[in-house]
């Protein structure tokens, strides 16, 4: 009876430690260690198994996309490293996908012959710690408590900046010059609020796309996670709460966001938007009642802007000019010009092809019409169509989804 009573006390302590911060008090992380759980090295978890104080760990990984795949790859390599003996067992959970191939994490798990489950199935094995990366599902307290060391999250931002499912997209979209990765403990019911175990920052490379930045951060996050796992009890004990200041959110981005608002957005904002989501779903606009996708956007350099044709006159936002020397379409935004090298109108066209096949022909047919009548206009999706075709973009967006949409 004393053993049963002792275990009840232990579980009560564990549950208290998982309650989010209340009344300004910091949750104690020491209960995550075996000593905190069982009071001695002989402690046991909720299934009666002995809690391990040091590696090798039994790990359940939950993830979906390319960012998460890099973390899984690092865990897999650590499992196969027999000299270091960091991971003994590795199993995988992902979410269902419309793609027959499945998400990148599932593809890697199958290729590597790792046990893989589809959410909400998390298997029935015994694990020491869970790891989450780009999973996009709230985890219950009951699930978290199945792991003696809880669940760790590999998050691609410097928390508390950019909490939420699309931190990399918002980093690029808002022109951040510094970003990073945070390894944190998962708390139930809310995303990205748990204690920080490890955090590293890096400069954002100029003009990098979200895809390019994801590749850099995924490797950094994977290495950081392995470092935390090597000293897991100590890392948990040294966890620190997230600052109350500097909290920002990175919600999913709806499909309507890719409709360029020429009258409202500056050239820098349009370029950032392209860098942030263009590799997932191209920006689009309206030209003579035809929807055009803008595939390759670039900043216009000062030598082009000095062209007399572009200066000394009032230009309507959305106005399109073909610049022969640079072989680009120049489109006027709220404050200046942005370059477009290729578009899609029925098929992919270079700027030169679009000018020869469409712009030049229009000017020949309408020689006395003001050029502003041939401008790009903001595409405004009808409410019903917007709801029907709504696409939510986050870091776990499928790469094949982006290519499929670009071909439509």
């Amino acid at each position: 009876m004393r053993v049963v009573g002792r275990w009840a006390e232990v579980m009560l302590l564990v549950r208290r430690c998982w309650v989010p911060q209340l009344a300004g008090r910091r949750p104690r992380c020491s209960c995550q260690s075996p000593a905190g759980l069982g009071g001695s090295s002989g402690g046991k978890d909720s299934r009666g198994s002995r809690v391990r104080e040091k590696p090798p760990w039994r790990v359940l990984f939950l993830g979906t996309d390319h960012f998460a795949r890099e973390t899984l790859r690092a865990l897999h390599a650590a499992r196969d490293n027999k000299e270091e003996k960091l991971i003994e067992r590795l199993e995988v959970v992902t979410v269902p996908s419309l793609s027959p191939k499945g998400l990148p994490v599932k593809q890697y798990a199958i290729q590597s012959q790792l046990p893989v489950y589809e959410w909400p199935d998390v298997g029935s094995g015994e694990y020491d710690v869970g790891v989450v990366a780009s999973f996009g599902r709230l985890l219950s307290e009951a699930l978290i408590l199945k792991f003696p060391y809880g669940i760790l999250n590999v998050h691609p931002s410097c928390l508390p900046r950019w909490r939420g499912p699309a931190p990399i997209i918002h980093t690029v979209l808002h022109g951040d010059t510094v970003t990073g990765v945070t390894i944190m403990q998962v708390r139930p019911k809310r995303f990205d609020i748990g204690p920080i175990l490890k955090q590293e920052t890096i400069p954002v490379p100029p003009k990098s796309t979200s895809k390019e930045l994801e590749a850099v951060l995924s490797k950094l996050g994977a290495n950081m996670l392995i470092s935390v796992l090597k000293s897991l009890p100590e890392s948990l004990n040294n966890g620190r709460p997230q600052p109350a200041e500097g909290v920002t959110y990175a919600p999913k981005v709806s499909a309507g966001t890719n409709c360029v608002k020429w009258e409202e957005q500056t050239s820098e904002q349009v370029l950032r938007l392209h860098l942030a989501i263009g590799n997932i779903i191209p920006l689009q606009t309206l030209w003579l009642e035809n929807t055009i996708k803008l595939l390759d956007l670039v900043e216009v350099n000062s030598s082009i802007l000095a062209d007399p044709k572009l200066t000394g006159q009032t230009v309507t936002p959305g106005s399109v000019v073909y610049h022969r020397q640079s072989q680009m379409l120049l489109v006027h935004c709220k404050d200046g010009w942005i370059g477009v090298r290729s578009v899609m109108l029925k098929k992919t066209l270079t700027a030169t092809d679009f000018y020869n096949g469409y712009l030049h022909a229009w000017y020949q047919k309408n020689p006395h019409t003001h050029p502003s009548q041939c401008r790009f206009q903001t595409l405004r999706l009808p409410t019903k169509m917007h709801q029907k075709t709504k696409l939510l973009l986050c870091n776990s967006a499928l790469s094949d989804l982006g290519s499929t949409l670009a071909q439509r």
Side-chain angles (χ1 to χ4, degrees), residues 6 11 21 41 76 89 100 132 135-136 150 163 189 192 210 215 222 224 226 234 238 249 310 339 343 391:
R6 174 58 176 162
M11 289 308 295
Q21 186 169 329
S41 59
H76 185 212
R89 190 172 78 245
V132 172
F135 192 58
R163 291 176 178 172
K189 301 179 182 178
D192 308 325
S210 57
M224 289 170 59
I226 296 302
E234 180 183 357
N238 294 331
Y249 296 94
L310 303 179
V343 302
L391 172 66

Side-chain angles (χ1 to χ4, degrees), residues 65-66 69 103-104 107 211 279-280 396-405:
D65 63 4
H66 292 91
R69 183 179 63 183
L103 299 174
Q107 294 176 30
K211 184 176 181 180
N279 60 289
I280 306 172
S396 59
L398 292 172
S399 58
D400 59 345
L401 176 61
S403 60
T404 299
L405 289 170

Side-chain angles (χ1 to χ4, degrees), residues 172-248:
V172 176
L173 187 61
H174 290 80
D176 288 6
T177 57
V178 176
T179 187
V181 174
T182 303
I183 309 295
M184 52 158 284
Q185 281 183 287
V186 173
R187 290 290 187 254
K189 301 179 182 178
R190 291 180 62 191
F191 285 115
D192 308 325
I193 64 167
I196 295 172
L197 308 185
K198 190 177 182 65
Q199 188 173 85
E200 294 185 13
T201 62
I202 61 167
V204 178
K207 303 296 185 293
S208 61
T209 66
S210 57
K211 184 176 181 180
E212 293 166 343
L213 187 57
E214 178 188 66
V216 174
L217 294 177
S218 64
K219 291 181 171 58
L220 175 62
N223 293 333
M224 289 170 59
L225 174 68
I226 296 302
S227 175
V228 168
L229 290 176
K230 288 180 180 179
S231 56
L232 183 55
E234 180 183 357
S235 295
L236 291 165
N237 283 331
N238 294 331
R240 56 184 173 88
Q242 294 185 28
E245 302 78 22
V247 176
T248 58

